[in-house]
Every structure is written in structure tokens, then in C-alpha cells.
């Protein structure tokens, strides 16, 4: 039986949505990926998305960021409809941050130069850029890694760097695409603690998409389970684990939280 070590996830008091996907349907080459789904992400919550490969989890991220437009339905961020709005406007106007599953860094630049490069894109004032970089160096304990090229960092160190780079523009919403993939247990625990701190200290709304169900469910307020283009379960980790459809179509009968 799978066991999940539960972190102390901060409760959020707001039921006010910061992102809403309403009646969304998406097709790829006549194949329906999402079928009239509704997704709500509340302010200051950590939301997890789970489901089999190809079920539409990454598509939801692409809809939020503007990489993909829905065939039907509307997208709202902070109460403003942004369906069809270009990517750059969404990231700047609505303060989005994205941590991709792969890449996200310039391999031949040092850790410090990667931070500097992103800061120059988002922050005009040099003093403010330096202040923000110094804060992230301290927050992520990068002091000993500043002059190491990204290609020589460990998987966990690179993932921390990509998260730090996504925080340069002080996002209100942070999207994490499979952050726990191919990482060891201690590194995953470190990332889980970083995610919880982003919620509790920085009041960022965090959305996590991952296949590592145990690791995801231990650090979220709420989860949604997708299958066959639909949301088949939604609720707290305990609620989705005990949901009959989620057990049948995703978790299996033996999966549990302790």
C-alpha cells in the first residue's frame, strides 16, 4: 500500500478564484483532449493536477499561459477574460511564472548569469535587479553555486534555479510542470518545502502538474484528477484518494494516504 508523508500545508481562507477556465474544450487533429471542463484556481492555494499521460494536464498549463487557445470556452485571470491574449501580455499583466519540465536555463551560463539574464528582461532598474537577485540567492542558498555553469549543476540544483528564475518578476501564480520528475527523495522533499514556503511566505497561488501522485498530494490543498478529457474527482487529497472514479481510473484500490 502506498503511503504519503503529509507536510503541514497552510490553509487558505479565500474562495476567490485567481484563474478560471470555463466550459473549455480542446481538440488536436480532431482528437478531443479536454471536454467541456471547468477549472478554478483560488488565491493563495496550492492546486495539484493528476492523470494519465495525454489526458490534458499540460494543455491546461498551455491554456493559462496562452501557448494554446481553446476551441471552445473562456479563460479568466484575476476576473479579466484573457482568451486569445498573447503570452507576453499574460506574463506581465497577470504576473504568471512558469517552471517547465525540461530546460528553462541557459546551460553555458553560470547560475548567477542565468538569474541576471532573466532579471534584465523583467526589471528595468539596475539596483532593483541586484536587490532581487541577492534576495533569491539567500532564499535558495545559492551562495556556493554562483559561478557554476548550469550544465554542471545537479538535477535538484537546476530545478531550484529554474524556480528562482520564475520568481524574478514576483508572480502571483506559479505553474510547476512535473517538478518532481527524475529526482531523488531528499531533493523532492526540499522542493516540497520550497513550494509550501512560496504559499505561506510569498502568498503565491501554486499549480503543480505531476505523475508522482504521492509527492504531489503531500504538498497541496486541493487536487483534481483528469481522465478521458474530463475532471473525474476534485477535492482535498483525502477526498480524491477515496473517490470511487479516481480509484477506478487512476489510483487503483491499494493507494492511500497515511
Amino acid at each position: 500500500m502506498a503511503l504519503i508523508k503529509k507536510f503541514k500545508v497552510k490553509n487558505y481562507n479565500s474562495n476567490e478564484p485567481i484563474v478560471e477556465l470555463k466550459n473549455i474544450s480542446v481538440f488536436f487533429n480532431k482528437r478531443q483532449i479536454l471536454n467541456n471542463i471547468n477549472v478554478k484556481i483560488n488565491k493563495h492555494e496550492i492546486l495539484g493536477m493528476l492523470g494519465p499521460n495525454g489526458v490534458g494536464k499540460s494543455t491546461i498549463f498551455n491554456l493559462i499561459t496562452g501557448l494554446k487557445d481553446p476551441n471552445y470556452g473562456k479563460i479568466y485571470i484575476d476576473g479579466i477574460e484573457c482568451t486569445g491574449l498573447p503570452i507576453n501580455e499574460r506574463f506581465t499583466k497577470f504576473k504568471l511564472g512558469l517552471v517547465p519540465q525540461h530546460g528553462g536555463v541557459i546551460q553555458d551560463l553560470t547560475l548567477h548569469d542565468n538569474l541576471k539574464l532573466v532579471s534584465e528582461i523583467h526589471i528595468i532598474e539596475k539596483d532593483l535587479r541586484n536587490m532581487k537577485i541577492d534576495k533569491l540567492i539567500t532564499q535558495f542558498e545559492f551562495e556556493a553555486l554562483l559561478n557554476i555553469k548550469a550544465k554542471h549543476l545537479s538535477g535538484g540544483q537546476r530545478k531550484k534555479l529554474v524556480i528562482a528564475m520564475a520568481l524574478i518578476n514576483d508572480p502571483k501564480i506559479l505553474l510547476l510542470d512535473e517538478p518532481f520528475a527524475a529526482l531523488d527523495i531528499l531533493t523532492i522533499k526540499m522542493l516540497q518545502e520550497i513550494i509550501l514556503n512560496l504559499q505561506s511566505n510569498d502568498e503565491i497561488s501554486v499549480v503543480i502538474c505531476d505523475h508522482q501522485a504521492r509527492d504531489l498530494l503531500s504538498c497541496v490543498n486541493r487536487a483534481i484528477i483528469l481522465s478521458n478529457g474530463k475532471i473525474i474527482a476534485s477535492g482535498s487529497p483525502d477526498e480524491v484518494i477515496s473517490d470511487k472514479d479516481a480509484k477506478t481510473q487512476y489510483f487503483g484500490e491499494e493507494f492511500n494516504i497515511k
Side-chain angles (χ1 to χ4, degrees), residues 216-234:
L216 181 146
L217 290 171
S218 65
C219 65
V220 300
N221 300 107
R222 187 168 59 93
I224 60 175
I225 315 298
L226 293 109
S227 182
N228 296 318
K230 291 279 193 178
I231 296 174
I232 59 170
S234 176

Side-chain angles (χ1 to χ4, degrees), residues 229-244:
K230 291 279 193 178
I231 296 174
I232 59 170
S234 176
S236 70
D238 290 300
E239 289 170 340
V240 295
I241 284 293
S242 60
D243 183 271
K244 181 179 178 181

Side-chain angles (χ1 to χ4, degrees), residues 63-113:
L63 291 168
I64 294 171
T65 60
L67 282 168
K68 174 72 178 173
D69 287 327
N71 296 91
Y72 303 98
K74 295 183 178 180
I75 301 164
Y76 297 83
I77 303 178
D78 245 355
I80 300 171
E81 185 187 348
C82 60
T83 317
L85 199 68
I87 297 171
N88 62 316
E89 288 190 41
R90 295 199 198 191
F91 275 84
T92 54
K93 183 175 182 177
F94 298 109
K95 294 283 191 174
L96 299 181
L98 173 66
V99 177
Q101 179 185 358
H102 303 293
V105 299
I106 306 299
Q107 297 286 354
D108 281 323
L109 291 184
T110 66
L111 183 150
H112 187 269
D113 285 343

Side-chain angles (χ1 to χ4, degrees), residues 10-15 42-45 199 221-222:
K10 179 183 177 181
N11 291 325
Y12 66 97
N13 296 321
S14 174
N15 285 321
N42 292 314
K43 289 185 177 179
H44 308 153
E45 82 167 325
Q199 180 200 38
N221 300 107
R222 187 168 59 93

Side-chain angles (χ1 to χ4, degrees), residues 143-171:
E143 289 85 355
L145 304 172
L146 294 179
N147 296 316
I148 297 177
K149 289 186 176 182
K151 63 184 177 183
H152 297 310
L153 297 172
S154 70
Q157 290 167 344
R158 270 196 305 274
K159 190 66 71 174
K160 283 175 63 178
L161 173 57
V162 179
I163 293 173
M165 291 166 68
L167 297 175
I168 285 285
N169 69 332
D170 295 317

Side-chain angles (χ1 to χ4, degrees), residues 4-11 46 180 185-197 199 214-221 237 257-258:
I4 298 176
K5 178 183 176 183
K6 297 177 69 175
F7 284 77
K8 180 65 175 178
V9 183
K10 179 183 177 181
N11 291 325
I46 305 176
F180 307 129
I185 293 172
L186 289 178
T187 302
I188 289 172
K189 181 179 178 181
M190 172 196 68
L191 290 179
Q192 289 169 326
E193 291 173 347
I194 287 172
I195 290 166
L196 295 177
N197 286 333
Q199 180 200 38
R214 179 184 297 105
D215 300 318
L216 181 146
L217 290 171
S218 65
C219 65
V220 300
N221 300 107
I257 299 177
K258 295 293 183 182

